[in-house]
Amino acid sequence: MAPQRFHEQFDHIQRSMPDVPLAMGPDDDAHLLYEKGVVLARSGEEARAVEDAVRAHFTETRGLLPDHVRRDGPERGRGGVTRIRVGDPAGGEDTVPHALSALRAAEDRHGRRLVSRNHVVHIAVNACPGDEPVPIARSGSPNPAAAGTAHDPRTAVRVLVVDTGLVSDHRAYPLLAHTSGDTQATETDDGGVLRQYVGHGTFIAGILAAVAPNTDITVRGSLNDAGAVLECEFGSKLFEAVEQDGWPDVISLSAGSPAAGLHGLLGLEAFMRELRAHRTLLVAAAGNNGSDVPFWPAAYAAMPEYADSVLSVGALRSDGEGPACFSNHGRWVRVYAPGERLTSALTGFADPVPYLYQHSTYDDCRFGFDYSCTCRYPRHTGVLSEDRESTGSKPDQVMFDGLAQWSGTSFATPVAAGLVAALMTADRERDPRRAGRRLLARATDRTDVRGVRMPALRPPTWRPVPVQAPALPA
């Protein structure tokens, strides 16, 4: 069986943040990444109180010098949080768990959470997409296919995609002719090979435009760097994205971080409060960890104060008959939409570009499912796989010249966001949150997710891809 993608991707993300020491855990199964030696607190009096409490604890019990514990600012920022250094990562020991434990008594006295890890927020993934893209011939067609409505700039629904930037030739793809936003800074490496995650935001925009052609889509490249950003920066990046062109009708966000409990992320508190004050609907991916651990910000949908402003989306498998193996699940996931083997634009239609697979496929489904899922098919060997050198196998290379097939809750999310936008156009509805409620109320289809019947959104232009039974051993 191929090595765990989580560990492969940890190294990839660490290389993209060379000055940030990262840690995994506390449980690998939670697929949690965070900054070593640093905790987050709300800026202001709470940050100072946390610093004093941690300093006293570590000075008395662990012999750390006082200057190891300090606020690393900014004290005031749009994200509303302050980084507090609780130890020296160069010392090799991760002091974050000790700091969190030391503050439990203080939190009990205050009656609220005061501190958290500085999580790595990443593309809604198992720290990588549900699978990697597969080339589709130029003669192929998108799936979901383009709906029949035309684009009308006077009535178009405004949708913001916060993701990686657009590929430079995206306008060559007809459905993205009127899409705007940030372009990907660097698309290929020195050898001309497509970088990992390039095309992720373009693929999402293509799905949105197919499901809801009467949309003005803006893509912001807030996650251009390996699809990952520290939690302390994420809130500010979201503020920057929405304020460049004003708050949109719908935000399609295929990124987040797992975190146990129903508290949310400290680094998102300020943004989520601001979201509630607007009419914008946040449609967020549930994540691809095959887990019920809440994935934020999607899990805000389970909190009563955010139930009207957040729609969390899990992924259906390619035949639409059940959840995809990788899809997160739980009471905090509101709806499921097709998310396995969708077809959209990865590049424009200019020049073909090579891509080396990063991850090897598995001999068996890594989540224990028994259908022919994207864990196993199509077979390929990746650059990051630990067993590649020992087996002497070379990474597989493919060529992309336009369309691709890709899987993940990353892509179920724009399906749901597009259906909200399409309903707004069909009903002449100007309130996206009312449209979201109406969409769920009209969703008569259901799918069984671990014994629970859940709403399923299957766009009329989406074509199921038959799931083949797994081959029996010879």
Side-chain angles (χ1 to χ4, degrees), residues 458-472:
R458 298 179 177 92
T461 63
W462 168 74
R463 305 181 307 278
V465 178
V467 175
Q468 302 296 323
L472 296 175

Side-chain angles (χ1 to χ4, degrees), residues 12 37-38 45 51-52 58 62 65 70 78 147 173 183 215 224 242 297 378 413 453 469:
H12 179 72
V38 168
E45 290 298 325
E51 180 189 5
D52 291 343
F58 277 89
R62 303 186 65 80
L65 297 175
R70 64 181 185 275
R78 294 304 304 274
Y173 182 60
T183 54
T215 47
N224 269 341
V242 298
T413 299
R453 299 294 289 174

